[in-house]
Amino acid sequence: MNVMQPTNPVIGKEPIVYIVDDDAPLRQSLGSLLRSIGLQVHLFDSVAQFMNHSRPDLPSCLVLDVRLQGTSGLECQRALAAANVHLPIVFMTGHGDIAMTVRAMKAGAVDFLAKPFREQDLIDAVTAAHHQDRQRRDAERSHQQVLGRYATLTPREQQVMALAASGLMNKQIAGELDLSEITVKIHRGQAMRKMCAGSFADLVRMAQVLEWRGEQ
């Protein structure tokens, strides 16, 4: 299944809600509700139509009916995950059951609304989904900044940073790399400066990010 990736960033736009439901009156009603609170809304009658839609790179979420003609909501969730598309999902259904809810929530759904639901329940779920997406985006930007700074370090500075973050003292690092202790201090100071680390604890946290991303 082809999954469209986000396009270039769009500045100054409100968060987006994608609604996929084959019930046209309900789809339009939900769209009007969410537009009334200042959100951008894009409506789709099928998963295929949604998947072929180009998405701006903005905080977004997907309001998705579970039971659809053609590709189901749960299949859509699996396809997005397989394509590494991190889009928070609020499921809705008129025929929900416990097993279906558990599968959706275990796979990362933000909420599961049984039709008919209160307007406020949907607004609350969408608000939570947008908050989750903003947090993910902020974390990703932070990770990219760390990676960019790390790339400015010399190979030796990278080695010293990794060993220091692992808990070794300067004297131990010097022995490990066959350097003088003063040289280790210089490399460590340069790594702190280039990584914009305000403290050694900051440097350790950055090293943990790099380790998680497989950069060390």
Side-chain angles (χ1 to χ4, degrees):
M1 180 184 298
N2 181 46
V3 181
M4 293 290 291
Q5 296 289 340
T7 55
N8 292 330
V10 179
I11 307 300
K13 294 289 188 178
E14 293 300 321
I16 299 174
V17 183
Y18 302 102
I19 300 177
V20 182
D21 196 308
D22 52 15
D23 181 336
L26 176 62
R27 189 170 67 244
Q28 295 294 336
S29 175
L30 297 180
S32 297
L33 169 66
L34 295 175
R35 288 190 184 102
S36 74
I37 61 171
L39 299 175
Q40 293 189 75
V41 181
H42 299 270
L43 306 177
F44 307 93
D45 60 14
S46 69
V47 169
Q49 188 183 44
F50 164 71
M51 291 296 198
N52 289 324
H53 179 76
S54 178
R55 295 180 290 106
D57 190 11
L58 287 168
S60 307
C61 73
L62 173 60
V63 177
L64 180 62
D65 191 27
V66 171
R67 298 180 185 272
L68 295 162
Q69 295 183 10
T71 304
S72 72
L74 292 177
E75 289 171 332
C76 176
Q77 183 186 35
R78 288 193 290 270
L80 290 172
N84 202 32
V85 174
H86 305 287
L87 187 62
I89 299 176
V90 175
F91 277 107
M92 53 185 177
T93 181
H95 310 279
D97 58 34
I98 293 176
M100 186 183 297
T101 303
V102 169
R103 287 199 303 274
M105 299 303 285
K106 279 187 174 181
V110 175
D111 210 337
F112 200 101
L113 304 177
K115 299 176 183 177
F117 45 79
R118 297 185 310 136
E119 290 183 349
Q120 191 60 48
D121 290 338
L122 177 63
I123 292 171
D124 290 344
V126 165
T127 299
H130 280 152
H131 178 68
Q132 183 183 108
D133 200 40
R134 286 191 184 93
Q135 287 186 316
R136 179 192 64 78
R137 288 167 177 273
D138 288 344
E140 182 62 27
R141 278 192 293 269
S142 178
H143 293 161
Q144 291 301 321
Q145 288 174 352
V146 170
L147 292 172
R149 292 168 187 162
Y150 183 73
T152 69
L153 270 59
T154 66
R156 184 64 82 188
E157 289 165 353
Q158 292 176 356
Q159 287 179 312
V160 170
M161 175 181 169
L163 292 172
S166 73
L168 296 186
M169 305 297 289
N170 287 344
K171 184 176 181 179
Q172 295 171 308
I173 297 171
E176 184 78 18
L177 299 179
D178 194 23
L179 299 172
S180 69
E181 192 170 346
I182 187 65
T183 299
V184 170
K185 288 181 180 178
I186 292 171
H187 286 314
R188 180 168 167 168
Q190 285 290 86
M192 291 274 293
R193 182 183 63 80
K194 291 180 180 180
M195 295 300 294
C196 300
S199 67
F200 180 64
D202 288 341
L203 193 70
V204 171
R205 282 191 288 270
M206 293 176 186
Q208 291 171 339
V209 170
L210 293 166
E211 183 178 3
W212 175 67
R213 295 297 293 263
E215 296 295 325
Q216 291 193 37

